[in-house]
Amino acid sequence: MRRVMAAARTETVAPMRTEFNFELPRGYVDDAGVVHRTGAMRLATARDELVPLRDDRVRENSAYLTVVLLARVVTRIGTVTDVHAGVVENLFASDLAFLQDMYRRINSEGHTRAAVRCPECGHGFGVDVSGGRLGGS
């Protein structure tokens, strides 16, 4: 019986990125008045998308799905690590829209980069829409 040995692979595979940092446009204001702008969101699982559908708040108001879903995948906003529906409800509308877009990007496209084009010269380039640095979003 002949044994065939597979050639050793020299390519390295980067670990899968499952959490993405962000910087909110306005920031979450906690009960003490502290503004929290940075945070992290993890990739959603099938369970994250299914469980909210059984939530009574979502059954009564389908728009609440966004709140429950984001509360499941946002792991931190500033020093707040217990991100629940009440925290998400108290975000400014611009921050909620930002997180909705980020959720779509990382779960559909797998990254937080967007292709953009300069309106003056037409040059195309990529930007990281998660923010966090000067010149970011």
Side-chain angles (χ1 to χ4, degrees), residues 14-125:
M16 186 167 103
R17 188 170 175 197
T18 60
E19 190 166 88
F20 298 80
N21 293 325
F22 60 80
E23 185 172 331
L24 296 171
R26 299 211 186 274
Y28 168 68
V29 182
D30 66 19
D31 293 336
V34 177
V35 178
H36 304 271
R37 292 193 64 206
T38 60
M41 178 186 295
R42 65 171 174 76
L43 287 176
T45 63
R47 177 174 294 231
D48 291 323
E49 295 204 347
L50 293 171
V51 167
L53 298 175
R54 294 189 309 238
D55 191 302
D56 289 336
R57 298 167 296 184
V58 174
R59 288 182 185 174
E60 292 174 17
N61 180 0
S62 61
Y64 204 75
L65 175 63
T66 298
V67 171
V68 176
L69 186 55
L70 288 175
R72 291 183 62 87
V73 298
V74 174
T75 59
R76 175 182 60 80
I77 299 177
T79 59
V80 179
T81 56
D82 180 20
V83 180
H84 50 80
V87 170
V88 177
E89 285 175 346
N90 285 306
L91 290 171
F92 292 107
S94 58
D95 291 333
L96 182 65
F98 172 86
L99 290 174
Q100 286 176 300
D101 183 58
M102 184 173 172
Y103 177 91
R104 183 189 57 76
R105 283 187 186 282
I106 68 172
N107 287 289
S108 297
E109 301 168 16
H111 57 80
T112 58
R113 295 193 59 77
V116 296
R117 190 166 298 283
C118 174
E120 294 290 319
C121 69
H123 176 73
F125 56 96

Side-chain angles (χ1 to χ4, degrees), residues 6-17:
R9 293 184 182 225
T10 58
E11 57 188 83
T12 58
V13 179
M16 186 167 103
R17 188 170 175 197

